[in-house]
Amino acid sequence: MASPPLICTRPFEWFEIHPDGSVFLCCPAWLKRPAGNLLQQPVEGIWNGPVAIELRKSILNGSFHNCSARRCPHLKRASGVLRPLTALPPGPVQEALAAGESRLTYPPPRLNLCFDRACNLACPSCRSGRHRPDTAERRQVARILDLVREQLLPTAVDVTLSGFGEPFAAPGYRTLLHQIDRQACPRLERLFLHSNGQLFTPENWRALPNLHPLLAGVEISVDAATAGTYAVNRPGGDFDRLLRNLAFIAGLGVPLKLSMVVQANNFREMSDLAGLARRLGARCYFSALVNWGTFSRREYARRAVHLPGHPEHQAFLRLLDTLRALPHVDLGNLPAKLV
């Protein structure tokens, strides 16, 4: 008997906002095509605009022709948000998919807020140096923040901060963290924080009591398992402070994930990071290095150990095989098998 077709829920629930106002219905590393721009269009014009409808039709017909099977870990492994229709929980998303609807009658339930690039670190995998926003950028962040609060937060079910910028450092995010509560977000059920962990301290968390009942998960981007590599991959960060904060976060009682963008200078520390995650009762997620415009082609090739042409690629694959069976490790979009 043939397996049932798999459905991706992302374009039916995801609304990701970037600093220029661009909106994506999935991670732009996996699905590069923006659905619209929040600074130029109303939410409804994006959510049920022509691009959004086309993206959903490509899911419904099983072609996934806008998606990158090479970069998307769910397509690569048929996992995560990629599930049979019968495995989806009941609700508006399941009903829309079951009915084959590409135009949706409900507002975006899941927000991934990436609109404030400000950060306390200057990690080469993300940016070419410490970012200092000018007046025009600060005004744009404030405008997007107003639109999010007015048009999206009142109906959001999940909010994630942030795929870009640091929640505890970026002014726009800090403002939002202090304002999120049951009154402003009456339908909000879950808040997910994605942080570098440097400012996720007991003191900063105690200052946000409004978030405590909403926190449903934390991801800390680590990119190293030793102080030396951390200093290179996370300039401005302190590895000892990170470890102290991780111990605190692990005690909050919510799912914790440590993540690493894998490259030539840290892949040999993957096992150590997996060990740290296990000791903390956390999961561990690894992903391939993406060039967000911060590297030359030559520099990216030097770092991208996941690519077959890299001189250390076979050593990298052998290391992956030692991690593959660990239940708390997710190898994301890294190569699926030893070749």
Side-chain angles (χ1 to χ4, degrees), residues 118-120 166-174 199:
C119 189
N120 54 316
E166 167 57 37
F168 292 95
Y173 299 152
R174 288 204 312 268
L199 299 175

Side-chain angles (χ1 to χ4, degrees), residues 13-17 23-24 38 43 47 107-115 147-149 151-163 176 180 185 188 190-192:
E13 60 184 357
W14 193 258
F15 202 86
E16 179 169 320
I17 307 165
V23 173
F24 297 85
L38 189 62
V43 169
W47 186 235
R110 301 187 65 190
L111 307 182
N112 191 34
L113 304 180
C114 307
F115 62 86
L147 293 170
V148 168
R149 287 185 297 202
Q151 300 184 25
L152 290 161
L153 280 181
T155 55
V157 178
D158 288 2
V159 171
T160 297
L161 280 170
S162 154
L176 197 60
I180 287 177
C185 315
L188 189 62
R190 294 170 292 271
L191 172 70
F192 300 90

Side-chain angles (χ1 to χ4, degrees), residues 80-242:
V81 295
L82 210 64
R83 291 170 284 176
L85 182 59
T86 53
L88 298 182
V93 174
Q94 187 273 341
E95 292 168 8
L97 283 160
E101 296 173 350
S102 56
R103 180 178 293 275
L104 304 178
T105 59
Y106 54 86
R110 301 187 65 190
L111 307 182
N112 191 34
L113 304 180
C114 307
F115 62 86
D116 192 339
R117 71 181 74 226
C119 189
N120 54 316
L121 303 184
C123 309
S125 60
C126 178
R127 57 191 70 210
S128 56
R130 187 68 62 94
H131 181 71
R132 292 178 174 83
D134 58 19
T135 300
E137 183 177 330
R138 289 194 293 270
R139 287 175 178 167
Q140 185 155 293
V141 166
R143 176 60 181 146
I144 294 175
L145 177 59
D146 287 342
L147 293 170
V148 168
R149 287 185 297 202
E150 294 164 7
Q151 300 184 25
L152 290 161
L153 280 181
T155 55
V157 178
D158 288 2
V159 171
T160 297
L161 280 170
S162 154
F164 191 34
E166 167 57 37
F168 292 95
Y173 299 152
R174 288 204 312 268
T175 298
L176 197 60
L177 288 177
H178 282 280
Q179 294 177 345
I180 287 177
D181 56 28
R182 295 295 186 189
Q183 183 175 354
C185 315
R187 298 187 187 180
L188 189 62
E189 297 177 5
R190 294 170 292 271
L191 172 70
F192 300 90
L193 292 178
H194 187 174
S195 166
N196 59 48
Q198 289 290 311
L199 299 175
F200 204 142
T201 63
E203 295 76 20
N204 284 339
W205 185 241
R206 282 196 296 269
L208 296 165
N210 52 308
L211 303 182
H212 295 186
L214 293 169
L215 187 66
V218 175
E219 178 176 352
I220 303 297
S221 299
V222 180
D223 287 1
T226 65
T229 303
Y230 190 79
V232 174
N233 289 351
R234 295 270 156 178
D238 182 292
F239 192 66
D240 289 335
R241 181 189 300 127
L242 172 71

Side-chain angles (χ1 to χ4, degrees), residues 50-63:
V51 175
I53 289 173
E54 181 191 332
L55 294 177
R56 294 182 189 122
K57 286 181 176 178
S58 76
I59 302 299
L60 292 168
N61 66 26
S63 69

